[in-house]
Amino acid sequence: MKKIYSILVIVVFFIVPSCTQDFLDVTYKEKILANPETLNSDAGAKALVTNVYAKFLDWNMSSFSWIGLTSIVDDNADKGSSPTDTGSDKHLLDDLQHTPSIGSVKEVFKANYEGIARANDALSKLPYISGVNESLLNRLQGETKFLRAFMYFNLVRLFGGVPIVDRVTDAENDNDKLLLFQRKPVDEVYTFIIQDLNDAIAVLPDKATYSFDERGRVSKGAALALLAKVQLYRQNWNEVINLTNQVTGYSLTPNFAEIYKLEGEFNQESIFEINGYGSGTTPKGIQQYSQTQGARAANGGWGWGFNTPSISLYQAFESGDVRRDVTIMYPGETLYDGRVVPATAENPRYNYKCYSSLNPGADHNDTNIRYLRYAEVLLMKAEAYNELGNTIEAKNALNQVRTRAGLPNTPANSQADLRIAIWKERRVELAMEHDRWFDLIRTGQAQTSMAAVGKTFVVGKHEVFPIPQEIIDQSNGVTSQNPGY
Amino acid sequence: MKKIILFSAIVLSTMFVNAQELKGLITDETGMPLPGANVTATVSKVVAISDFDGNFAIKLAKGEQIKVSYIGYGTQTLTPVFPKMTIKLLPESTALNEVVVVGYGTRKAIDATMAVAKIKGDELTKQKISNPTQAMQGKLAGVTIIQNDRPGEESYISIRGMGTIRANANPLYIVDGMRIGNLNNISVGEIESYEVLKDASALAIYGNDAANGVIIITTKKGKGDIKISAESYFGYKTPLKMVEMASSNAYAQYTNLANGTVFLSQDQPVNTNWFKEVMQPGTFNTNEIRFSGSTDNINFSLSANRQDEQSIIRESDYNRTVARLNLEFDNDKKLKLGSVFNIGFTNGKPKSNGYLTQAYTLSPIMPVYYDDGTYAMPIVGSNGFIEKSGTGLYDYKYNPIAGLSLDQNGFKNLNFTGALNLEYKLTNWLKFNSNFGGEINNYKSYNFYNNERAYFIYNPLATEYTGQDGGIILIDGENVVKKNSLERYSDVSKKWNLNYYLTFNKVFGMHDVEFMLGNEYIADNIKEGLSANTINLIDTNEEHWNFTLSEFPNGIKSNYFENTPLHKLSYFSRLNYKLNDKYLLTANLRYDGSSRFYDGYRWGLFPSFGAGWIISNEKFWNKGMVNYLKLRGGWGIIGNERIPNNISKVFNYSANGYSFGGPLEESQSAADTYFVDTTISWEETREYSAGIDFGFLNNKITGNIDYFNKFNQKAMVPILPPVTTGASQDILKHAADLLNEGVEFAINYKKDFNHFKFSAGANYTFIHNELLKIYRNIQTQYFGNLGLGGDNSNLRILGNEAVGQPLASYWLFEYAGLNDQGQMLYYDQNGNKVLENVLTNKDRKFFGSAIPTSTLGLNLSFEYKRLTLDIQSYGTLGAKIYNGKMNKKLKNENIELSVAEDFWSPTNTDAKYPVPSNSMPVASTFYLESGDFFRINNVYLSFKIDEVNKFTKGGNIYVNVINPFILQKYSGFSPEIAGDFYNRMGVELDSYPTLRTLTMGIKLNF
């Protein structure tokens, strides 16, 4: 009897703990928000979207590789730095010798899809958030769609047709795999961008309605201006005029130099910019954006000296153009804040527009990238009017920009001359602002402009960059390569 | 009370009155006297020990019997034959009657179908080391150990090959039934035995943790009278092999040529041997004391061990104190209760191996100090000599001796493990066991760096420190000069396991059946910690354990973390069946669940089967020469689940997301970490194996031959998700097939002559390791970069290219000799000799692996009267070593003497080494050397001390030399370099050399 009792005790020992199957359901503690419930709040909803903005501060999104693909490659800038310092592949970009396996191509491609994934994540959650008023949720979705459109606009201009990932995907699912790997035609990508921007325009408020601490958010004006730019690339001139006319409440900064200082952030001319935050114990700037382009010298320099303004750009400024010495800094020069560029600096010119006075060489500082300014809206308007034959309106818009630059009105009169004049004006006005290369491709000037600076632009190839080899390998050939690579 | 004493006295005196003295002689089976045999009276418990000639005398009460025992011989209980008797003891065939621990139970070796290798503790004590794993090197077939002599660090160990790519590859350690992560807190002197489970038939009982093998350690328990033993030893350690560097003038000549200008005088007044400056003879000292004993119901062992060690790098320090209590209650009937408590304190002030690399690279023209006593720097004057006021900085600003003084860090570790074991015999044939084990570990450290002092040392002419060289940080928008910085860290981790099992064992005629069924809970990785950083401490003490808020003018930044625990739940059973003492069968089944995996993929079933046939027990077997022969075979599945937690859909949160013109706002998203493979589960290794155990000449010669084939068809490989998913982290997926196939051979010989005992053992292992297949599309990944050389100094690749190669393979450019200007040439993919500037990855090929294909151990043991001499040796074949330190020669760094003597010049065009250069060459076969070596790894000579008096019952004094001698092909310090096999394994760069140790010690019993 006693024995049986003992056996019973043991059986109980076995069975009781065995029932506790939930022993295996542990709570994950790493990287989790203290309280995931906070998603259902204004702060939680905003945080999802802030994360998309934050992507633009990342090294792979906005720094060295992006500078290589959209600036060093063009005729406004040279690789710079020491001759032996290639910056991994920047010398290849400068010489138009880039291949599908170079790091810069891979990084920029990947970074944009990382940003798109964040946007898709936000868009998948925002509609289901409770306890947040609807107009805020709508606005946040509008901001997100603008940012997603902006990234696709960069991708389509850099690579041509790309896979359109418009939702959260599961890489193990076959349908999603096709979505992730299959390149869509350029037209389809533009349709997608235009849809996102129209959705954004419908819900976004004017810039003026944002509070001081939120003035860096995407506004309706930004969405209109970006859509205008998209239509400019599509050569829908009437649309461009229609849209640019709706971009109101902005004006040119009287003193061009003020735009690029800390005080000039989000000023009257600013439509959309990426904001570096250089203060506090944990500054969060556009990582090393300004450092990679800073003056390089053995003593007293603060940067790596890449992406230097070319002699061609220097010469492109008409005499008396105030913009030249705002765009370019020179060895030995005393800058606006009194700092002296070392006379021994290794390169003859550096990008002044990315200079941070407070912490020029820091990884994180207050330098912003100005992606959309009112000056460009005027130039888009001028181009569209000119293409439609309205040279008077065209000249009117163009001359506003020239006047601010301290230049006389344009001498161009014919549509053809005016077209060249507008393109030229874009070159100098938007120099070192990541626009020139795309403009050269868009306007068909690339081959001649590159030849002028001694580079061989292969028509039919160099209009787009190669698709990174990585995704071609991953897709088992589903993702196609661009011609010529 | 008085009455009782009186009564006892009467009884005793009566006994003594009736007592009779028995004299006798104890001999072995050949008639040779056995000294030191134990004779016990069965009732009065009087004990006598046979003397040097085998004689004994004992007083016995009337009717008492005697029990005669001697280690290695069968115990006999005899009726005395007065006045004198001769007792012949027969040896136990130890190798066969030995009991092995097999996981949740024991098994007589002869009845086991599995491959289990055992080392007994007394063999281990013949090697005075602090690292328990190292003691196994060369002693066991199938166990590969790459030694690591750095104090407090573990050796690399693999059992039957490398069976995983990116999951944890360490074996599972079980100490007295407790699962522990490493052996750092176990003193070698406390170990009674090691059992290494090698094949699936043995391992499957540990299921999902077993794929890398299991090492079971049993610690010493008390036996017999209360004993006290004390042992103390001390010794010196020096590198087994040194590399000779160029002298000052040779260095200056080479460096001038490399720079194309004569800026260093070629008649230097200083010739510093930096190795001598950075290194010191390592010293260590270990003291151990142990109390043990047993009564009828209780046995105990209490020990304490203190070890102090200085590494061969100056100013480093390491010490450890371990105390252990084993306490067991056994009423000899039903209940056995055991408990184990182990506490280990470790303190250290480690110095990085980087100082050894600095000694290798720093030029000999620089003195340690300037004439004024301040630290010298690599700065030359216009006269070409080192000068404080010079301006020519020709090397990075450093001075390793200054570095050693600037680099202040320390750690303390407190480890507590405890276990409770219960065994209850329900009936003669049914037994219940339960074990609980737990571990708590507290680690803390500080890391202090004095930037201001460093600046003045590295810039000897500087007068003011204003944060140059990166010493400025931004706090609250203001630039603050960082004069010094401190990081203080602390964590606590816990783990526990609990199991229950029932064992049924009954013999039905010729059927011997044992069945075991159990259940286990494991919780691991319960960990939390805190780190705090601050700058500009006012008090810059030597140590930084305590500080108060007032010391931090710039505040503290701290970070707290807590880990996700790991839970495992298992059910297991084993059936052992023996028919007629000839036919053996074992079946294991374990069902494991792990919280690391997603629901639906958590549970795994691990079966195994083993069979054995003791041929020599068959009637037809004529026991001539071969007295014992057994065939074994087995098949099974074992697993590995030790990967990082497979988490998905967690939020990536940042308090510093983005500023919209105001302060930074927080950001969060699931996007960056969203993608994990929710379908991953265990790596599964299928193994089949077969072996023969044999004994010749009445077991004077014993041994075994084994074959194994381990196939991991679910090896995990990190894979980057499609770029367009935007996921930024690689994820583990089952993606590769991995094979380890091999043969093991072990043979032992043992013979006792008059006063002389001799034994010898040899073992050999051959392992073929191969990445058979990668069946998913993976992103090629490069590893093992030497640093600074860019992509061209990668040494390893994981991708489709690596299929067909062993793990830890080198993927290099092939050196093709020097051209007519003395520059290095390499073969491109078309076989043309080219310069390095046109090389691409397509020109690389595979050139062998850092994992040896063969290992060999030879052990000899002699005993003559009081003397014992043990010699052990170990060697490996087939491994390749990469001379990373020589490849990574940067501008104006020193060269080896061999380079200085034979570099290319117009007058020495058939030189081995290229023309002097300041650029770091690509990773090529030029730096790949054979790792084959053979080393005497232990010589132990001991002299036995007799009983001095009643209290001092003898002991021994000994001398021990570890690694007295090596034959190696490799030109560097050591052909044994541990490390991650996909990273720096086998690559000599910042690695710690193999050491030679001379130890002297004494052990006394009281």
Side-chain angles (χ1 to χ4, degrees), chain A residues 371-444:
Chain A
Y371 278 118
L372 289 168
R373 289 190 285 117
Y374 188 61
E376 189 181 4
V377 171
L378 289 171
L379 291 171
M380 291 194 285
K381 191 186 279 188
E383 189 169 343
Y385 274 123
N386 186 50
E387 294 302 331
L388 292 172
N390 188 343
T391 45
I392 296 183
E393 283 293 347
K395 280 166 86 170
N396 177 30
L398 173 62
N399 286 335
Q400 288 182 53
V401 176
R402 286 179 63 83
T403 306
R404 194 259 308 258
L407 296 174
N409 285 347
T410 179
N413 277 317
S414 71
Q415 187 191 36
D417 287 352
L418 202 50
R419 182 182 292 135
I420 300 298
I422 292 164
W423 288 349
K424 167 93 183 303
E425 203 60 45
R426 285 184 69 93
R427 178 182 188 185
V428 290
E429 173 70 28
L430 305 174
M432 312 307 284
E433 292 183 50
H434 308 282
D435 190 69
R436 174 67 177 166
W437 174 254
F438 297 130
D439 242 13
L440 288 175
I441 309 284
R442 174 178 72 87
T443 57

Side-chain angles (χ1 to χ4, degrees), chain B residues 18 54 63 69 106 110 283 342 345 364 376 408 462 580 665 678 695 707 712 764 771 781 840 956 997:
Chain B
N18 292 328
S69 59
T106 57
I110 191 168
T283 56
N342 191 87
F345 302 91
Q408 291 174 25
N580 224 355
E665 294 191 16
T678 56
Y707 164 81
N712 182 349
Y764 172 81
L771 179 61
Q781 292 175 71
T840 70
N956 64 330
T997 308

Side-chain angles (χ1 to χ4, degrees), chain B residues 294-356:
Chain B
S294 63
T295 67
D296 285 348
N297 292 332
I298 288 174
N299 72 66
F300 75 96
S301 167
L302 173 65
S303 68
N305 171 299
R306 162 85 183 184
Q307 177 201 339
D308 285 282
E309 182 162 354
Q310 260 93 46
S311 92
I312 57 161
I313 303 173
R314 266 182 217 278
E315 308 204 17
S316 62
D317 196 7
Y318 176 88
N319 65 65
R320 186 187 70 180
T321 308
V322 181
R324 188 173 184 90
L325 172 67
N326 280 4
L327 189 62
E328 198 171 76
F329 168 80
D330 181 355
N331 74 355
D332 263 342
K333 282 176 195 148
K334 289 195 160 173
L335 185 67
K336 208 192 246 184
L337 275 171
S339 65
V340 180
F341 299 97
N342 191 87
I343 188 159
F345 302 91
T346 312
N347 293 301
K349 285 179 182 169
K351 297 289 181 198
S352 131
N353 291 350
Y355 289 107
L356 298 175

Side-chain angles (χ1 to χ4, degrees), chain A residues 13 17-18 23-25 29-31 33 39 47 51 114 118 121 169 172 180 215-216 275 278 470 473-474, chain B residues 500 521 562 564 567 595 602 651 653 658-660 668-670 672 675 721-724 729 733 777 779:
Chain A
F13 250 109
S18 307
F23 184 67
L24 296 182
D25 293 322
K29 293 183 175 164
E30 288 103 349
K31 283 187 174 177
L33 214 59
L39 208 56
N51 199 47
E114 282 168 5
R118 291 186 185 189
D121 178 55
T169 51
E172 292 293 298
L180 289 163
R215 65 198 197 280
N275 184 34
E470 186 181 12
D473 291 347
Q474 283 182 338
Chain B
Y500 315 90
Y521 291 79
E562 193 177 350
T564 302
H567 285 184
S595 68
R602 274 178 180 164
F651 274 69
Y653 168 81
Y658 191 82
S659 151
F660 296 98
Q668 62 171 336
S669 175
D672 296 1
F675 298 100
V723 183
T724 44
Q729 294 175 351
K733 277 180 184 288
N777 207 16
Q779 175 72 22

Side-chain angles (χ1 to χ4, degrees), chain B residues 703-728:
Chain B
N704 59 280
I705 302 169
D706 277 86
Y707 164 81
F708 62 88
N709 182 303
K710 285 169 82 176
F711 177 62
N712 182 349
Q713 56 176 13
K714 287 171 83 179
M716 282 188 252
V717 174
I719 291 181
L720 286 170
V723 183
T724 44
T725 58
S728 50

Side-chain angles (χ1 to χ4, degrees), chain A residues 122-177:
Chain A
L123 290 171
S124 74
K125 294 193 171 73
L126 286 169
Y128 305 104
I129 282 177
S130 57
V132 176
N133 91 42
E134 201 163 328
S135 68
L136 175 61
L137 285 181
N138 285 338
R139 191 197 91 200
L140 289 169
Q141 290 179 68
E143 289 176 56
T144 310
K145 285 192 169 176
F146 169 91
L147 294 169
R148 188 167 72 175
F150 185 67
M151 290 182 275
Y152 273 112
F153 185 47
N154 287 337
L155 284 170
V156 77
R157 289 187 299 166
L158 288 165
F159 300 101
V162 289
I164 301 177
V165 184
D166 59 351
R167 57 185 163 80
V168 175
T169 51
D170 173 5
E172 292 293 298
N173 174 305
D174 284 342
N175 287 334
D176 283 8
K177 256 186 191 162

